[in-house]
Every structure is written in structure tokens, then in C-alpha cells.
Amino acid sequence: MNVVVFGASGMVGQGVLRACLLDPTVSSVLVVGRRPLGITHPKLTEVSHDDFTDLSAIGDRLTGLDACFYCLGVSSTGMSEAEYTRVTYDFTLAAAHAVLAASPGPTFTYVSGEGTDSTEQGRTMWARVKGRTENALLALPMNAYMFRPGYIQPRHGAVSRTRSYRVMYTLTSWGYPLLHRLVPAHTTTTEHLGRAMLAVTRAGVTESRVLYSKDINRLGT
């Protein structure tokens, strides 16, 4: 299986990339990003690209793909709806259309979040934009899966690029086992998320197109 990962430098993307490199069914991993990851692996190829609203310049690199793992995203804190929409909706749909044009019929997995608003009408800005993005992806002619994790605990060295999140994870990592026991339906790890995203590329694993933490933990175990 040949796959591409967007957002591999982020915490979730790191977990997904690790799962891909470890999985024997994955033959090659293409990473599209703005800067090198600083790692090497026989399966790994990196492509540098700056404009995520237009991927035509690297379209030839997206051929022969079986799956796209889209993990690129930002916090909505301090952003206007227009700014957040550009990163969350425009970037994502540009990637989906580019992958679909170059490799018809791929599996496309999108990391959304618990609380996403599928009606696109709620008061919470990020939830509306995520909902709009999910709906647009689900309308495309491909096998699209929306992942809506709640709290995600980093594993195996995965690190958030947001400083406040790094501090939070450092302070709370010791209590994750208890948190998971108390609210297992709302907690998961980068390891389970990466494995679950790989799992949905296999036929018959799940009929649901929208997956929550409990589904992620089941598929990723």
C-alpha cells in the first residue's frame, strides 16, 4: 500500500507516520510538508511544498496512492473564521481534490475532533468549519473517514507544536491511565489513532464514516 501523509510534523501526524512506517502492509510513505522532518527511513519520501491551496505543482508525486492521511490542522484560538476556514477547509479540500485527481478511488482519512458540528449552524466557530469540511469530504467520490477524537495522549515521542499543549501534556501525562479509565469513550492516544487510520484502509473493518474515540481505540488495539 502506498500512502501520503499531510501534517506529519504535528503531534497526531507523528503518530500516524510512525504507524505507517511500522506497518508491513505499507510499502511507501510520501510526506508533504513545508520543512523536512529530519528523519530517514527506507519507506519515507518527503516533498516540500508551500502553497497548500494549490497542489498542482506536485500532482505527479500523488499518483499511485492507496490512501491519504490528512492530519494538518491548527488551533482556532485567536483566529478569525476566515483565517481558520482557509487552513481547515481550503487546505483540506485542495489536498483531497489533488489526491483524487492523481489517484482515483483512494481512502481519505481526516482528523477532525469531538464536538464537530455536522449541521454547520452552531455557535462554535471551529465546530462549524470542521463540520463543513467533513461534509464536503464525504460528498467526494472516495472512501472518506472522519476521525473525531476527544483527548489525545501523545505516545512514543510525539510532540505537539503548540507550546501550551506541550505544557499541558507534560503536566497531565502521569494521570492519563486514570483519565482513560474514567472516560474511555472520550480519550485515546496517538498510537491508537495512527493504527485506526490504517485499519480503515482495509475493506469491511467498519461501516461508519464518522469515528469517535471509542471506535478509534477499538480499531487501533
Side-chain angles (χ1 to χ4, degrees):
M1 179 167 63
N2 302 313
V3 308
V4 61
V5 180
F6 287 85
S9 63
M11 186 184 82
V12 170
Q14 292 168 46
V16 174
L17 177 60
R18 180 179 184 273
C20 290
L21 296 179
L22 289 174
D23 194 305
T25 68
V26 176
S27 302
S28 68
V29 182
L30 175 67
V31 167
V32 179
R34 288 195 173 97
R35 58 187 67 84
L37 295 174
I39 63 174
T40 59
H41 191 280
K43 295 182 184 180
L44 179 63
T45 302
E46 295 187 62
V47 173
S48 295
H49 190 72
D50 289 322
D51 184 2
F52 282 85
T53 62
D54 182 3
L55 299 170
S56 58
I58 63 167
D60 61 329
R61 305 298 298 272
L62 302 176
T63 59
L65 295 173
D66 300 295
C68 174
F69 302 122
Y70 196 89
C71 312
L72 195 158
V74 294
S75 168
S76 63
T77 303
M79 299 184 75
S80 68
E81 184 160 351
E83 292 170 331
Y84 188 68
T85 296
R86 181 172 183 272
V87 176
T88 302
Y89 181 89
D90 295 347
F91 285 10
T92 307
L93 268 295
H97 284 291
V99 169
L100 187 57
S103 300
T107 296
F108 191 99
T109 64
Y110 174 62
V111 180
S112 185
E114 188 175 279
T116 292
D117 178 14
S118 296
T119 71
E120 307 178 34
Q121 301 299 317
R123 293 183 178 182
T124 306
M125 182 269 284
W126 75 262
R128 290 196 308 271
V129 176
K130 288 276 193 181
R132 180 186 171 202
T133 306
E134 285 190 355
N135 291 338
L137 291 172
L138 290 169
L140 293 176
M142 60 183 180
N143 297 317
Y145 294 89
M146 309 298 109
F147 281 72
R148 294 184 178 183
Y151 178 90
I152 306 171
Q153 180 64 34
R155 287 282 190 255
H156 304 292
V159 179
S160 173
R161 295 180 63 186
T162 304
R163 184 178 181 278
S164 60
Y165 289 0
R166 292 198 302 270
V167 172
M168 177 190 70
Y169 287 126
T170 298
L171 294 175
T172 61
S173 60
W174 63 271
Y176 177 74
L178 175 60
L179 178 65
H180 184 61
R181 283 198 296 271
L182 292 173
V183 284
H186 303 283
T187 55
T188 190
T189 69
T190 53
E191 181 176 29
H192 281 88
L193 185 53
R195 290 177 177 175
M197 290 176 77
L198 275 169
V200 298
T201 65
R202 297 190 286 271
V205 171
T206 179
E207 294 183 0
S208 176
R209 297 292 179 173
V210 179
L211 306 170
Y212 294 88
S213 292
K214 62 179 181 180
D215 308 301
I216 293 166
N217 291 330
R218 175 177 59 83
L219 293 171
T221 298

